[in-house]
Every structure is written in C-alpha cells, then in structure tokens.
Amino acid sequence: MGAGRLYAAVAAGGFRRYATYRAATLAGVFTNTVFGVVLVYTYLALWDERPHLGGYDQAQAVTYVWLGQCLYATLAIQGGGFEKDLMDRIRTGDIAVDLYRPADLQLWWLASDFGRALFQLIGRGVIPFAFGALFFPMALPTDVRSWLALLVALLLATVVSFGIRYLAALSVFWLLDGTGVNQAMMILGIFCSGMVLPLNAFPGGLGTFVQALPWAAQLQMPADVLMGKADPLHAYAFQATWAVVLLAAGRLMQSAATRRVVVQGG
C-alpha cells in the first residue's frame, strides 16, 4: 500500500470510529445548539450596549457564535480528539508498537484526526449552524468563492489544532500523566480561540497578544474569512505559518522523546 493510500485509510478509520457514536453525536448536536442560543442572546445584549464591538455588527456577531458552535468539536477546541489516545499509549508503553509501524507517527495521527474532524463537521457542526441560519439573522455570504475560502481556512485550522494537541500529547513522555496538560489545554482553547468572545473584541495589548497566538487560527481567522473581515491570503499565511511552526516543533519533540526518553511500561 502506498503512503497516500495508507494515510487515507487511517483517515477513513478515524471517520468511521466517531460515526459509530450516534447517541453521543446527537447529544453533542443538542448541546451545541442550546449553548449557541444562550450565547446568541448574550451577544445580542452585549452588542446592544456596545454596537460594532470588535468591528462586528449584530448579524456578524451572531454568525460568529454559530460558526464557533459548528467548529467546537470539529477542531476539538477544548480537547477530546486523538491526543487522549496518544497520551494513554505513551503512559502505558503501547506507543512502542506505534513506533515500529512502517508509518510516520505524526502523519498517522494527523490523518486520523482529519477523519475525526470531518465527521464532527458533518455530523455535529452543520446542524447547529443551519439552525442558527434558520432562526437568527446572520451575515452569510452569497457567493461561492467565500464558502470555498472558508473551506481552505478550515483545512488549515485543523492542521493548527492538531499541531497544538500533538505537542500537548508528547509532553506525557516526560510528565508521565496528561491530566494537568488536558486541563490547561481546555482553558487555553476556550479562551484563546475566541469561543467566549471574538478575539478582536479584546481590549488593547491583550487583544493584540491573543490574536498573534496559534489559537487565533482556529476560529477567529475562519470567521473573518467567511464574513469578509479579513483578506483570505493574509489569513492563510497566518494559519500556514503556525501550522508549519507547530508541526516542526512536534517533529523535533517527537525525535527528542523517542531518542532519549524511556517508554513507561516497556
């Protein structure tokens, strides 16, 4: 089997794995929809007091909310993707089996996470977004190019999300337990990605700082591309830069771990 077919099969396996959890998917759709409604009314009240906060009008703020609910599970913004499996395999020593496979460890998990992300987008993300578009005023583009631009931004956002979580998972080679790392990633993910409030609404230097972090590539950039608030090429350059940096850092960390760290359990 060629490398391309191998990783395609891994991605398909990741898709099928999450597709089996139908009850969890339905519960996730319901949860994202309810949280979306709560956030929308919170945003509407906030934008009544602060019109054009962050450069958004109310319709754009509502669009931001529903895109966030669409991407919450797709990008595993608070975790819950491959990283927990990888952490467990490092902790138990099963990672030794993975290292003996005739496949690249990083690409293997990246392919698996792509399959997971695709299912979460289709199975859990589309319905809340469609619900929002049906019942609330949203600033959605009417031209196909804007939607295609969004797909490119989502692809890059998925790679950035993977890069962040891959580094977190590899830390278990040294920490031996991923509980604290997972909790830190949950807090950073929800705050720095803009799930609570758009990053461009953060004040002063804090806003500048969080918009320069890799988490900004997950939600803020796709939202601005969708609504025409950012030049797609600029957004892609930002996302691609962080994707390359994170993947390279993951490669270096993986090399250091597999060369010098004793695998726990074997």
Side-chain angles (χ1 to χ4, degrees), residues 56-68 70 125-148 150 222-229:
Y56 291 162
D57 58 27
Q58 281 193 339
Q60 290 169 332
V62 170
T63 304
Y64 184 93
V65 168
W66 289 112
L67 183 63
C70 175
V126 171
I127 295 177
F129 190 81
F131 176 90
L134 184 62
F135 291 101
F136 295 93
M138 291 173 61
L140 298 177
T142 57
D143 61 301
V144 176
R145 286 184 298 178
S146 295
W147 291 101
L148 293 177
L150 173 64
D224 285 344
V225 167
L226 175 65
M227 295 184 287
K229 304 293 288 187

Side-chain angles (χ1 to χ4, degrees), residues 54-217:
Y56 291 162
D57 58 27
Q58 281 193 339
Q60 290 169 332
V62 170
T63 304
Y64 184 93
V65 168
W66 289 112
L67 183 63
Q69 294 306 307
C70 175
L71 299 183
Y72 174 79
T74 302
L75 300 179
I77 288 177
Q78 277 195 287
F82 78 94
E83 68 278 4
K84 290 188 176 181
D85 291 339
L86 181 53
M87 287 176 178
D88 286 341
R89 294 186 71 80
I90 294 171
R91 182 179 56 82
T92 61
D94 290 339
I95 189 67
V97 177
D98 300 338
L99 294 172
Y100 273 107
R101 288 193 182 115
D104 181 83
L105 183 69
Q106 188 182 50
L107 291 178
W108 177 283
W109 288 103
L110 176 59
S112 177
D113 200 52
F114 264 124
R116 178 206 60 79
L118 180 60
F119 173 77
Q120 295 288 26
L121 177 63
I122 297 172
R124 182 168 170 176
V126 171
I127 295 177
F129 190 81
F131 176 90
L134 184 62
F135 291 101
F136 295 93
M138 291 173 61
L140 298 177
T142 57
D143 61 301
V144 176
R145 286 184 298 178
S146 295
W147 291 101
L148 293 177
L150 173 64
L151 291 179
V152 176
L154 292 184
L155 178 64
L156 291 170
T158 303
V159 179
V160 171
S161 172
F162 168 83
I164 294 171
R165 291 177 290 122
Y166 191 68
L167 287 172
L170 291 181
S171 69
V172 177
F173 272 110
W174 290 272
L175 299 176
L176 309 184
D177 184 84
T179 303
V181 175
N182 282 326
Q183 291 175 345
M185 293 302 297
M186 287 175 63
I187 296 171
L188 288 171
I190 200 71
F191 182 80
C192 295
S193 69
M195 281 295 299
V196 176
L197 189 69
L199 300 182
N200 53 21
F202 282 40
L206 177 61
T208 302
F209 176 69
V210 293
Q211 289 183 70
L213 297 177
W215 287 274

Side-chain angles (χ1 to χ4, degrees), residues 20-36:
T20 60
Y21 301 111
R22 298 175 185 176
T25 300
L26 291 175
V29 169
F30 176 78
T31 301
N32 285 131
T33 304
V34 171
F35 272 100

